[in-house]
């Protein structure tokens, strides 16, 4: 395959800079979006549910005068047993060359690489708990747009780190850009696996005091074992997640006045974040969503032109 964005590891610092510069151009000239020579059919193949990623890839494609079409596994012939490879080859035969794919299996793309025609462009929109490169790019772009430098920045991830592809991609990207990545993981969500370049903290309140950015995470219960689901139910019945592990009103007061709050979404009000967080001037959650469109426009623009 000649052109793909599958993993943060695929990108050099130059590529990342090019994506951010292009996204910034789209951000600063929102009424001058169209570049000549576009009009490609793009299949958005979502084999897992999505709101932000799907809609922003679709909007990004439309802003650039492409023709996106959405495919959902349950409404496709995947339900009749057609494999992902055969689905893509079928769409290719119909004339589609660019695919945005979300799939529950880690690194689903490895089994496709040798069998897809060389002119296919493949963009990973999230694979299992392994990676979500466009999310990490929009998160770091949002931080830079808020005026912070990644060098030496202390970013704290709180919650279900073990099942989070967002954390894995963000840690890769932020580490490349010389940020320090920390994690606080509630005891019942600890897996024993340590993610490279992530420093695990055992005191949530102290980590909140010390960090520059806190990114709260949803429990990825669609990826939990039956045993963990059972344990979590018992836990949730007995204690409040927000009080023990969430960004509640008391912890908001611990956060520095110039610190920033993020969440990749979907967030659950009053579970991992108090709803007051959404009104807090330090909160970047809606900016992350907005910037997702510009970053995905930049990815289409550069990847389809062979510039990354
Ligand atoms: N952040 C994220 O990937 O959200 P969606 O699942 O809604 O796309």
């Amino acid at each position: 395959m000649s052109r793909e964005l599958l993993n943060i590891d695929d990108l050099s610092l130059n590529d990342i800079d090019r994506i951010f510069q292009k996204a910034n151009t789209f951000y600063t000239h929102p009424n001058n979006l169209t570049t000549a020579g576009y009009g490609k059919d793009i299949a958005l193949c979502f084999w897992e549910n999505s709101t932000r990623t799907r809609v922003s890839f679709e909007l990004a494609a439309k802003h650039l005068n492409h023709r996106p079409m959405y495919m959902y596994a349950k409404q496709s012939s995947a339900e009749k047993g057609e494999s992902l490879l055969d689905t893509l080859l079928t769409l290719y035969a119909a004339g589609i060359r660019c695919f945005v794919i979300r799939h529950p299996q880690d690194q689903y793309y490895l089994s496709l690489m040798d069998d897809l025609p060389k002119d296919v462009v493949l963009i990973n929109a999230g694979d299992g708990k392994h990676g979500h490169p466009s999310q990490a790019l929009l998160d770091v772009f949002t931080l830079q747009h808020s005026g912070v430098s990644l060098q030496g920045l202390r970013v704290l991830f709180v919650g279900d780190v073990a099942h989070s592809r967002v954390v894995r991609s963000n840690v890769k990207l932020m580490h490349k850009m010389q940020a320090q990545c920390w994690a606080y993981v509630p005891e019942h969500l600890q897996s024993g696996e340590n993610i490279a370049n992530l420093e695990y903290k055992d005191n949530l309140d102290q980590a909140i005091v010390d960090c520059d950015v806190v990114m709260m995470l949803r429990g990825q219960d669609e990826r939990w074992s039956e045993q963990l689901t059972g344990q979590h139910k018992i836990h949730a019945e007995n204690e409040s997640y927000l009080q023990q592990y969430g960004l509640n009103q008391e912890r908001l007061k611990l956060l520095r006045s110039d610190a920033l709050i993020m969440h990749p979404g979907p967030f659950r009000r009053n579970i991992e974040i108090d709803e007051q967080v959404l009104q807090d001037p330090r909160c970047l959650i809606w900016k992350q969503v907005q910037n997702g469109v510009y970053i995905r426009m930049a990815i289409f623009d550069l990847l389809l032109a062979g510039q990354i």
Side-chain angles (χ1 to χ4, degrees), residues 220-233:
Q220 307 275 304
D221 46 7
E222 66 274 31
R223 276 180 261 289
W224 289 355
S225 64
E226 265 179 41
Q227 191 196 7
L228 182 54
T229 304
Q231 278 173 6
H232 184 71
K233 277 207 180 105

Side-chain angles (χ1 to χ4, degrees), residues 46 48-55 102 125 132 135 165-166 218 263-266 296:
F46 277 70
E48 240 190 23
N49 293 344
S50 168
T51 296
R52 277 142 286 268
T53 312
R54 182 184 76 77
V55 167
R102 169 170 288 190
H132 195 348
Q135 177 72 43
R165 56 190 171 212
V166 173
R218 177 179 68 89
H263 194 308
R296 285 157 181 145

